[in-house]
Amino acid sequence: MIDTDTAADDAIAIMLAAFDRDAEIVAVTTVAGNVPVEVATRNARWVLERSGLGDVPVHPGAASPMVRPLTTGQDVHGESGMGSAEPPRQPAPRSEPSAAAELVRLARAHEGELTLVTLGPLTNIATAVLLDPAFLTRFDRVVSMAGAADGHGNISDVAEYNMWADPEAAHIVLSADGEVELVGWDASRQAAVIGSEECRAIEALGTETGAFVLALVSELDRYCREVQGLGGFDLPDPLAMTVALDPAIVTGAEARPVRVGLADESRGQLMIDRRTAREAPRVRLLREMSRDRFLAMLYEMCTETALVGGRR
């Protein structure tokens, strides 16, 4: 299951899941984040259709954070959230159960069988926890792209966007029963920055999928270079999806009690207790990844000419 605020790198993450022959996407839920929820829903359906998975249900979720106004990331990913790619203006109308209710239903119906991957603010997940306090324990694994364990933020000086966008939801999730594997922006900067050399390698593949990936990240590349000072764009959401598909990519992790800052200055900051544990840790911080392993999966996906266009 995938919970997403589908923007450019979320779209690549969904494509990675579609590419993996051993993975089955049971459902996609959407949440307001980098783009409004209706745009995220349209984008998710479009990417699934282009990946030949148009029958996967997409369930719209929260239209705003739990208590705060929505701040989107359209200055990062473009107005559509999809860089220079051009999703359809109007999605086909569909009626699906709400995201949180469907998350709870599927978790109960397939207890211990599913992996939940979250790629956006944790609003839907927190709502599901409020509906079912045992919600997180019903999954085989919960992998979340959220936070920055080194305190180096991308939306503030200390916070990563998904945590910052809805810190109250993150607080509920990280306080709930069950283990959450956090793939933070620190891990993305270490293993998933795609520079000019890697872009040339993708372009040289000459595939429709590779061209689509580069179109998705056109706005993101500019932002990451000019604002964040990176040597290219980074792909934290595809990195989280790779962790879900290939756990062996993780080369360094630590289990710690973690809280989320809720005050103005610490909003969305991960507060990690590295003292002798006074409580059982619920969070596993995935700090180091194999960059070679991540790039190999990305390149292999981009080699798949038929992954986009609904021909796979």
Side-chain angles (χ1 to χ4, degrees):
M1 298 176 61
I2 303 171
D3 185 73
T4 175
D5 62 344
T6 315
D9 49 347
D10 304 55
I12 299 169
I14 293 173
M15 290 166 63
L16 272 168
F19 152 76
D20 192 283
R21 303 307 195 270
D22 296 324
E24 176 188 359
I25 304 176
V26 175
V28 172
T29 56
T30 59
V31 64
N34 279 308
V35 294
V37 69
E38 62 273 10
V39 178
T41 304
R42 175 199 67 189
N43 290 350
R45 287 175 177 153
W46 184 53
V47 171
L48 287 166
E49 288 168 1
R50 288 182 66 96
S51 301
L53 296 174
D55 57 339
V56 172
V58 178
H59 303 273
S64 65
M66 300 190 87
V67 299
R68 300 175 188 256
L70 173 64
T71 301
T72 67
Q74 287 161 293
D75 58 327
V76 179
H77 297 281
E79 193 65 22
S80 72
M82 305 293 268
S84 62
E86 297 183 3
R89 290 290 179 183
Q90 296 295 330
R94 299 184 195 179
S95 177
E96 305 279 8
S98 67
E102 185 63 8
L103 284 165
V104 170
R105 185 191 73 79
L106 286 169
R108 288 174 172 170
H110 303 277
E111 187 150 355
E113 299 175 2
L114 301 178
T115 295
L116 173 63
V117 183
T118 77
L119 305 176
L122 292 167
T123 317
N124 290 336
I125 313 307
T127 305
V129 168
L130 295 177
L131 291 171
D132 177 9
F135 173 70
L136 296 178
T137 70
R138 300 185 190 279
F139 292 93
D140 177 49
R141 295 171 65 202
V142 177
V143 179
S144 292
M145 190 285 115
D150 63 352
H152 182 165
N154 62 5
I155 185 67
S156 75
D157 53 350
V158 295
E160 176 275 330
Y161 173 78
N162 286 341
M163 283 287 179
W164 179 91
D166 196 344
E168 285 76 18
H171 170 74
I172 291 170
V173 172
L174 298 190
S175 300
D177 290 339
E179 182 183 79
V180 177
E181 301 175 47
L182 280 190
V183 179
W185 194 53
D186 53 314
S188 182
R189 298 195 322 273
Q190 175 254 317
V193 174
I194 308 301
S196 299
E197 180 180 348
E198 291 79 19
C199 286
R200 286 193 293 269
I202 293 173
E203 186 175 6
L205 295 172
T207 64
E208 185 180 355
T209 302
F212 185 55
V213 165
L214 294 179
L216 286 171
V217 297
S218 58
E219 289 296 316
L220 179 63
D221 184 65
R222 173 197 57 78
Y223 182 88
C224 287
R225 291 177 186 274
E226 294 179 1
V227 179
Q228 295 175 344
L230 299 179
F233 58 91
D234 72 310
L235 294 174
D237 297 324
L239 184 63
M241 185 60 69
T242 304
V243 167
L245 297 171
D246 179 17
I249 191 177
V250 180
T251 58
E254 55 180 328
R256 300 289 181 183
V258 176
R259 295 182 296 116
V260 181
L262 301 178
D264 289 345
E265 289 188 354
S266 64
R267 175 179 172 179
Q269 180 180 9
L270 292 187
M271 299 179 176
I272 303 164
D273 190 347
R274 291 190 169 94
R275 300 171 295 175
T276 300
R278 299 180 180 181
E279 60 180 284
R282 294 185 174 93
V283 176
R284 187 165 174 253
L285 300 163
L286 309 185
R287 302 297 311 278
E288 298 175 6
M289 312 282 180
S290 168
R291 175 172 171 82
D292 289 343
R293 209 171 182 111
F294 173 70
L295 288 176
M297 184 170 282
L298 180 66
Y299 290 153
E300 189 176 357
M301 180 197 75
C302 289
T303 303
E304 290 282 311
T305 303
L307 185 61
V308 296
R311 298 189 302 275
R312 181 170 175 270

